[in-house]
Amino acid sequence: MDDFAAVCQMYYQKVYRFLLSLSGDPRRAEDLTQEVFYRALLHIGQYRDDGHMFTWLCTIGKNCWISECRKEKKQVPLEQWNAVDGKGPEETLAERERARALRRAILDLPEDSRDVVILHVYGGVPLREIAAQKGKSESWGKVTYYRAKQTLRQRMEEFR
């Protein structure tokens, strides 16, 4: 248990920042982070000690976030439409809608592509490490990431 407490202390802020970048909501990121460490504690026996603890925790976090997104089709509350950084409500809403469209597009990617994008972009996990976690080569990670970016660009063009 002391080892797990050390893991929590070492990775809590990094996992929180990863989930904050995914969710865009500090309270939601905090809840998800706590859920990640709870699930990690429950399933610590499934962790393969290959030196990729952060990647494993981010994978749990990504799955928690995706699960929550699928359960929750929420609207943007009116209080969030207020001006941010001197921007008017229309511009703020348009930015949030683009961000939501991008998140939806990421969720619609095939699983491997989605995992690579989320872990690499939002988690800062190197492509080499993601590929190793999936039992693939580093070039697989690079190609998968490139193709996912192309798909996301196309989907975001359609959004405009």
Side-chain angles (χ1 to χ4, degrees):
M1 187 58 103
D2 289 337
D3 290 341
F4 190 74
V7 166
C8 291
Q9 189 173 17
M10 184 181 307
Y11 293 107
Y12 192 88
Q13 283 301 314
K14 288 175 81 173
V15 171
Y16 170 78
R17 284 192 304 271
F18 167 67
L19 292 167
L20 179 61
S21 67
L22 281 176
S23 69
D25 178 0
R27 282 180 268 154
R28 190 174 188 191
E30 182 69 32
D31 291 344
L32 287 168
T33 303
Q34 291 175 11
E35 181 69 19
V36 165
F37 285 97
Y38 172 72
R39 288 185 185 188
L41 181 60
L42 289 178
H43 302 287
I44 195 70
Q46 295 175 3
Y47 174 67
R48 296 173 301 181
D49 190 11
D50 55 3
H52 301 292
M53 176 63 77
F54 179 63
T55 305
W56 185 65
L57 292 170
C58 285
T59 300
I60 294 170
K62 170 203 57 111
N63 290 334
C64 289
W65 177 71
I66 288 171
S67 176
E68 189 172 299
C69 286
R70 287 186 177 143
K71 285 184 212 170
E72 190 179 287
K73 303 282 185 189
K74 68 179 187 179
Q75 298 293 317
V76 176
L78 286 176
E79 62 269 8
Q80 290 186 5
W81 290 14
N82 295 331
V84 175
D85 297 330
K87 298 174 186 165
E90 296 84 10
E91 192 174 338
T92 300
L93 181 60
E95 284 180 11
R96 289 194 176 139
E97 286 301 313
R98 279 192 298 276
R100 290 177 79 197
L102 178 58
R103 287 184 177 112
R104 280 192 301 270
I106 290 170
L107 288 173
D108 289 341
L109 288 171
E111 184 178 356
D112 282 342
S113 298
R114 181 178 62 224
D115 291 351
V116 169
V117 168
I118 289 172
L119 291 172
H120 185 63
V121 173
Y122 294 103
V125 178
L127 293 171
R128 162 186 15 73
E129 193 173 310
I130 297 166
Q133 186 78 11
K134 293 207 168 263
K136 309 274 185 174
S137 69
E138 183 177 359
S139 62
W140 171 88
K142 290 177 180 179
V143 168
T144 302
Y145 179 64
Y146 174 79
R147 289 179 181 162
K149 282 193 325 187
Q150 294 301 104
T151 300
L152 291 172
R153 278 191 188 114
Q154 288 173 345
R155 290 183 183 166
M156 292 308 291
E157 284 297 320
E158 294 167 7
F159 176 74
R160 291 179 188 191

